[in-house]
mmCIF file of all heavy atoms in Angstrom:
data_model
loop_
_atom_site.group_PDB
_atom_site.id
_atom_site.type_symbol
_atom_site.label_atom_id
_atom_site.label_comp_id
_atom_site.label_asym_id
_atom_site.label_seq_id
_atom_site.Cartn_x
_atom_site.Cartn_y
_atom_site.Cartn_z
ATOM 1 N N THR Z 765 78.942 90.077 122.613
ATOM 2 C CA THR Z 765 79.936 89.174 121.868
ATOM 3 C C THR Z 765 81.382 89.502 122.408
ATOM 4 O O THR Z 765 81.614 90.750 122.741
ATOM 5 C CB THR Z 765 79.845 89.286 120.423
ATOM 6 O OG1 THR Z 765 80.837 88.404 119.913
ATOM 7 C CG2 THR Z 765 79.992 90.688 119.939
ATOM 8 N N SER Z 766 82.196 88.534 122.541
ATOM 9 C CA SER Z 766 83.553 88.783 122.822
ATOM 10 C C SER Z 766 84.509 89.207 121.598
ATOM 11 O O SER Z 766 85.643 89.530 121.817
ATOM 12 C CB SER Z 766 84.234 87.458 123.398
ATOM 13 O OG SER Z 766 84.214 86.472 122.381
ATOM 14 N N GLU Z 767 83.805 89.325 120.480
ATOM 15 C CA GLU Z 767 84.574 89.716 119.255
ATOM 16 C C GLU Z 767 85.324 91.019 119.458
ATOM 17 O O GLU Z 767 84.830 92.048 119.728
ATOM 18 C CB GLU Z 767 83.726 89.832 118.039
ATOM 19 C CG GLU Z 767 84.506 90.109 116.827
ATOM 20 C CD GLU Z 767 83.724 90.246 115.566
ATOM 21 O OE1 GLU Z 767 82.566 90.663 115.624
ATOM 22 O OE2 GLU Z 767 84.241 89.999 114.519
ATOM 23 N N LYS Z 768 86.669 91.004 119.254
ATOM 24 C CA LYS Z 768 87.494 92.115 119.172
ATOM 25 C C LYS Z 768 88.211 92.072 117.792
ATOM 26 O O LYS Z 768 88.671 91.056 117.349
ATOM 27 C CB LYS Z 768 88.586 92.083 120.251
ATOM 28 C CG LYS Z 768 89.560 93.208 120.169
ATOM 29 C CD LYS Z 768 90.584 93.252 121.331
ATOM 30 C CE LYS Z 768 91.896 92.548 120.859
ATOM 31 N NZ LYS Z 768 92.978 92.803 121.799
ATOM 32 N N ILE Z 769 88.248 93.233 117.192
ATOM 33 C CA ILE Z 769 88.966 93.361 115.903
ATOM 34 C C ILE Z 769 90.082 94.357 116.059
ATOM 35 O O ILE Z 769 89.913 95.463 116.550
ATOM 36 C CB ILE Z 769 88.007 93.884 114.720
ATOM 37 C CG1 ILE Z 769 86.843 93.026 114.616
ATOM 38 C CG2 ILE Z 769 88.781 94.116 113.519
ATOM 39 C CD1 ILE Z 769 85.744 93.577 113.528
ATOM 40 N N GLU Z 770 91.330 93.935 115.822
ATOM 41 C CA GLU Z 770 92.441 94.770 115.861
ATOM 42 C C GLU Z 770 92.594 95.284 114.388
ATOM 43 O O GLU Z 770 92.555 94.533 113.471
ATOM 44 C CB GLU Z 770 93.701 94.043 116.287
ATOM 45 C CG GLU Z 770 93.694 93.746 117.732
ATOM 46 C CD GLU Z 770 95.070 93.324 118.338
ATOM 47 O OE1 GLU Z 770 96.138 93.549 117.640
ATOM 48 O OE2 GLU Z 770 95.070 92.762 119.481
ATOM 49 N N ILE Z 771 92.647 96.645 114.331
ATOM 50 C CA ILE Z 771 92.692 97.273 113.075
ATOM 51 C C ILE Z 771 94.088 97.943 112.833
ATOM 52 O O ILE Z 771 94.739 98.552 113.684
ATOM 53 C CB ILE Z 771 91.587 98.410 113.026
ATOM 54 C CG1 ILE Z 771 90.257 97.767 113.245
ATOM 55 C CG2 ILE Z 771 91.632 99.102 111.646
ATOM 56 C CD1 ILE Z 771 89.123 98.788 113.381
ATOM 57 N N PHE Z 772 94.552 97.610 111.581
ATOM 58 C CA PHE Z 772 95.904 98.170 111.211
ATOM 59 C C PHE Z 772 95.759 98.998 110.001
ATOM 60 O O PHE Z 772 94.617 99.051 109.333
ATOM 61 C CB PHE Z 772 96.858 96.892 110.875
ATOM 62 C CG PHE Z 772 96.915 96.002 112.060
ATOM 63 C CD1 PHE Z 772 96.017 94.991 112.294
ATOM 64 C CD2 PHE Z 772 98.071 96.034 112.868
ATOM 65 C CE1 PHE Z 772 96.195 94.114 113.450
ATOM 66 C CE2 PHE Z 772 98.188 95.252 113.950
ATOM 67 C CZ PHE Z 772 97.307 94.248 114.201
ATOM 68 N N TYR Z 773 96.968 99.652 109.573
ATOM 69 C CA TYR Z 773 96.875 100.357 108.311
ATOM 70 C C TYR Z 773 98.335 100.174 107.702
ATOM 71 O O TYR Z 773 99.274 99.823 108.371
ATOM 72 C CB TYR Z 773 96.638 101.789 108.536
ATOM 73 C CG TYR Z 773 97.751 102.577 109.140
ATOM 74 C CD1 TYR Z 773 98.634 103.433 108.452
ATOM 75 C CD2 TYR Z 773 97.932 102.591 110.528
ATOM 76 C CE1 TYR Z 773 99.672 104.100 109.005
ATOM 77 C CE2 TYR Z 773 98.971 103.327 111.144
ATOM 78 C CZ TYR Z 773 99.817 104.039 110.322
ATOM 79 O OH TYR Z 773 100.877 104.808 110.914
ATOM 80 N N THR Z 774 98.358 100.373 106.469
ATOM 81 C CA THR Z 774 99.681 100.378 105.667
ATOM 82 C C THR Z 774 99.598 101.387 104.512
ATOM 83 O O THR Z 774 98.579 101.588 103.929
ATOM 84 C CB THR Z 774 99.970 98.939 105.101
ATOM 85 O OG1 THR Z 774 101.287 98.995 104.537
ATOM 86 C CG2 THR Z 774 98.935 98.406 104.141
ATOM 87 N N ARG Z 775 100.686 101.998 104.369
ATOM 88 C CA ARG Z 775 100.897 102.972 103.279
ATOM 89 C C ARG Z 775 101.890 102.339 102.236
ATOM 90 O O ARG Z 775 102.258 103.003 101.344
ATOM 91 C CB ARG Z 775 101.469 104.311 103.828
ATOM 92 C CG ARG Z 775 100.461 105.038 104.713
ATOM 93 C CD ARG Z 775 101.101 106.241 105.182
ATOM 94 N NE ARG Z 775 100.109 107.067 105.915
ATOM 95 C CZ ARG Z 775 100.403 107.769 107.022
ATOM 96 N NH1 ARG Z 775 101.718 107.758 107.537
ATOM 97 N NH2 ARG Z 775 99.544 108.428 107.746
ATOM 98 N N GLN Z 776 102.280 101.142 102.460
ATOM 99 C CA GLN Z 776 103.227 100.444 101.592
ATOM 100 C C GLN Z 776 102.494 99.232 100.997
ATOM 101 O O GLN Z 776 102.442 98.250 101.650
ATOM 102 C CB GLN Z 776 104.468 100.058 102.357
ATOM 103 C CG GLN Z 776 105.506 99.388 101.445
ATOM 104 C CD GLN Z 776 106.227 98.190 102.170
ATOM 105 O OE1 GLN Z 776 105.642 97.515 103.048
ATOM 106 N NE2 GLN Z 776 107.432 98.121 101.873
ATOM 107 N N LEU Z 777 102.098 99.284 99.823
ATOM 108 C CA LEU Z 777 101.378 98.225 99.174
ATOM 109 C C LEU Z 777 102.257 97.613 98.059
ATOM 110 O O LEU Z 777 102.747 98.251 97.199
ATOM 111 C CB LEU Z 777 100.087 98.665 98.528
ATOM 112 C CG LEU Z 777 99.062 99.078 99.630
ATOM 113 C CD1 LEU Z 777 97.872 99.727 98.933
ATOM 114 C CD2 LEU Z 777 98.609 97.969 100.540
ATOM 115 N N ILE Z 778 102.453 96.300 98.149
ATOM 116 C CA ILE Z 778 103.323 95.628 97.214
ATOM 117 C C ILE Z 778 102.340 94.669 96.406
ATOM 118 O O ILE Z 778 101.689 93.845 97.008
ATOM 119 C CB ILE Z 778 104.411 94.763 97.856
ATOM 120 C CG1 ILE Z 778 105.309 95.727 98.753
ATOM 121 C CG2 ILE Z 778 105.239 93.985 96.884
ATOM 122 C CD1 ILE Z 778 106.213 94.989 99.730
ATOM 123 N N PRO Z 779 102.258 94.833 95.096
ATOM 124 C CA PRO Z 779 101.352 94.023 94.387
ATOM 125 C C PRO Z 779 101.621 92.475 94.542
ATOM 126 O O PRO Z 779 102.802 92.063 94.552
ATOM 127 C CB PRO Z 779 101.550 94.369 92.925
ATOM 128 C CG PRO Z 779 101.990 95.773 92.984
ATOM 129 C CD PRO Z 779 102.827 95.888 94.247
ATOM 130 N N SER Z 780 100.611 91.747 94.698
ATOM 131 C CA SER Z 780 100.749 90.269 94.909
ATOM 132 C C SER Z 780 99.632 89.542 94.136
ATOM 133 O O SER Z 780 99.255 90.056 93.047
ATOM 134 C CB SER Z 780 100.758 89.938 96.415
ATOM 135 O OG SER Z 780 100.942 88.622 96.653
ATOM 136 N N HIS Z 781 98.987 88.589 94.812
ATOM 137 C CA HIS Z 781 97.871 87.847 94.131
ATOM 138 C C HIS Z 781 96.719 87.796 95.049
ATOM 139 O O HIS Z 781 96.778 87.370 96.198
ATOM 140 C CB HIS Z 781 98.381 86.392 93.724
ATOM 141 C CG HIS Z 781 99.476 86.445 92.766
ATOM 142 N ND1 HIS Z 781 100.845 86.350 93.170
ATOM 143 C CD2 HIS Z 781 99.478 86.502 91.426
ATOM 144 C CE1 HIS Z 781 101.574 86.342 92.122
ATOM 145 N NE2 HIS Z 781 100.860 86.505 91.079
ATOM 146 N N GLN Z 782 95.631 88.208 94.580
ATOM 147 C CA GLN Z 782 94.389 88.085 95.257
ATOM 148 C C GLN Z 782 94.059 86.512 95.432
ATOM 149 O O GLN Z 782 94.200 85.817 94.511
ATOM 150 C CB GLN Z 782 93.174 88.788 94.525
ATOM 151 C CG GLN Z 782 91.913 88.901 95.306
ATOM 152 C CD GLN Z 782 90.842 89.544 94.479
ATOM 153 O OE1 GLN Z 782 90.753 89.363 93.328
ATOM 154 N NE2 GLN Z 782 90.032 90.299 95.164
ATOM 155 N N ASN Z 783 93.555 86.118 96.624
ATOM 156 C CA ASN Z 783 93.406 84.733 96.816
ATOM 157 C C ASN Z 783 92.128 84.603 97.685
ATOM 158 O O ASN Z 783 92.175 84.233 98.860
ATOM 159 C CB ASN Z 783 94.555 84.177 97.530
ATOM 160 C CG ASN Z 783 94.442 82.585 97.691
ATOM 161 O OD1 ASN Z 783 93.734 82.010 96.950
ATOM 162 N ND2 ASN Z 783 95.069 82.175 98.698
ATOM 163 N N LEU Z 784 90.967 84.868 97.099
ATOM 164 C CA LEU Z 784 89.702 84.860 97.797
ATOM 165 C C LEU Z 784 89.352 83.433 98.223
ATOM 166 O O LEU Z 784 89.743 82.462 97.551
ATOM 167 C CB LEU Z 784 88.582 85.444 96.997
ATOM 168 C CG LEU Z 784 88.665 86.899 96.645
ATOM 169 C CD1 LEU Z 784 87.602 87.285 95.604
ATOM 170 C CD2 LEU Z 784 88.579 87.766 97.836
ATOM 171 N N ASP Z 785 88.703 83.308 99.350
ATOM 172 C CA ASP Z 785 88.122 81.988 99.742
ATOM 173 C C ASP Z 785 87.207 81.551 98.643
ATOM 174 O O ASP Z 785 86.613 82.372 97.918
ATOM 175 C CB ASP Z 785 87.433 82.129 101.068
ATOM 176 C CG ASP Z 785 88.359 82.305 102.247
ATOM 177 O OD1 ASP Z 785 89.583 81.976 102.087
ATOM 178 O OD2 ASP Z 785 87.924 82.927 103.249
ATOM 179 N N GLU Z 786 86.816 80.265 98.566
ATOM 180 C CA GLU Z 786 86.051 79.664 97.456
ATOM 181 C C GLU Z 786 84.636 80.320 97.413
ATOM 182 O O GLU Z 786 84.162 80.543 96.289
ATOM 183 C CB GLU Z 786 85.878 78.152 97.707
ATOM 184 C CG GLU Z 786 85.066 77.486 96.721
ATOM 185 C CD GLU Z 786 84.861 76.003 96.998
ATOM 186 O OE1 GLU Z 786 85.294 75.503 98.066
ATOM 187 O OE2 GLU Z 786 84.305 75.381 96.137
ATOM 188 N N ASN Z 787 84.083 80.741 98.472
ATOM 189 C CA ASN Z 787 82.649 81.282 98.452
ATOM 190 C C ASN Z 787 82.754 82.762 98.817
ATOM 191 O O ASN Z 787 81.780 83.380 99.313
ATOM 192 C CB ASN Z 787 81.859 80.576 99.420
ATOM 193 C CG ASN Z 787 81.642 79.145 99.000
ATOM 194 O OD1 ASN Z 787 81.395 78.844 97.830
ATOM 195 N ND2 ASN Z 787 81.861 78.190 99.911
ATOM 196 N N GLU Z 788 83.863 83.435 98.635
ATOM 197 C CA GLU Z 788 83.951 84.882 98.939
ATOM 198 C C GLU Z 788 84.040 85.643 97.568
ATOM 199 O O GLU Z 788 84.747 85.294 96.616
ATOM 200 C CB GLU Z 788 85.335 85.136 99.636
ATOM 201 C CG GLU Z 788 85.475 86.479 100.179
ATOM 202 C CD GLU Z 788 86.772 86.532 101.110
ATOM 203 O OE1 GLU Z 788 87.728 85.773 100.824
ATOM 204 O OE2 GLU Z 788 86.822 87.450 101.982
ATOM 205 N N PHE Z 789 83.266 86.789 97.498
ATOM 206 C CA PHE Z 789 83.238 87.479 96.331
ATOM 207 C C PHE Z 789 83.220 88.990 96.764
ATOM 208 O O PHE Z 789 82.459 89.510 97.577
ATOM 209 C CB PHE Z 789 81.899 87.367 95.556
ATOM 210 C CG PHE Z 789 81.692 85.907 95.174
ATOM 211 C CD1 PHE Z 789 81.056 85.007 96.046
ATOM 212 C CD2 PHE Z 789 82.177 85.408 93.977
ATOM 213 C CE1 PHE Z 789 80.952 83.650 95.689
ATOM 214 C CE2 PHE Z 789 82.054 84.047 93.561
ATOM 215 C CZ PHE Z 789 81.392 83.162 94.483
ATOM 216 N N VAL Z 790 84.315 89.762 96.232
ATOM 217 C CA VAL Z 790 84.382 91.142 96.617
ATOM 218 C C VAL Z 790 84.627 92.009 95.388
ATOM 219 O O VAL Z 790 85.188 91.538 94.397
ATOM 220 C CB VAL Z 790 85.587 91.395 97.572
ATOM 221 C CG1 VAL Z 790 85.356 90.554 98.948
ATOM 222 C CG2 VAL Z 790 86.930 91.124 96.961
ATOM 223 N N GLN Z 791 84.155 93.230 95.496
ATOM 224 C CA GLN Z 791 84.419 94.229 94.459
ATOM 225 C C GLN Z 791 85.378 95.189 95.105
ATOM 226 O O GLN Z 791 85.126 95.772 96.156
ATOM 227 C CB GLN Z 791 83.080 94.907 94.014
ATOM 228 C CG GLN Z 791 83.245 95.930 92.959
ATOM 229 C CD GLN Z 791 81.946 96.571 92.638
ATOM 230 O OE1 GLN Z 791 80.970 95.839 92.384
ATOM 231 N NE2 GLN Z 791 81.844 97.904 92.442
ATOM 232 N N ILE Z 792 86.498 95.487 94.489
ATOM 233 C CA ILE Z 792 87.453 96.460 94.944
ATOM 234 C C ILE Z 792 87.198 97.819 94.458
ATOM 235 O O ILE Z 792 86.932 98.074 93.251
ATOM 236 C CB ILE Z 792 88.933 96.026 94.467
ATOM 237 C CG1 ILE Z 792 89.305 94.647 95.083
ATOM 238 C CG2 ILE Z 792 90.006 97.104 94.888
ATOM 239 C CD1 ILE Z 792 90.584 94.117 94.563
#
């Protein structure tokens, strides 16, 4: 597969709004 994932990090998190796709379900 040609799939490449660029991976990032952040140490600065600003609260916002979770906006999952209609058929996406995640547990944090």
Side-chain angles (χ1 to χ4, degrees):
T765 181
S766 64
E767 182 182 29
K768 176 178 98 166
I769 301 174
E770 288 195 15
I771 302 174
F772 300 85
Y773 74 99
T774 183
R775 293 177 175 142
Q776 180 217 39
L777 295 172
I778 302 164
S780 183
H781 299 93
Q782 187 181 37
N783 185 24
L784 296 172
D785 293 335
E786 181 182 6
N787 296 313
E788 187 175 27
F789 303 90
V790 302
Q791 178 178 317
I792 296 172

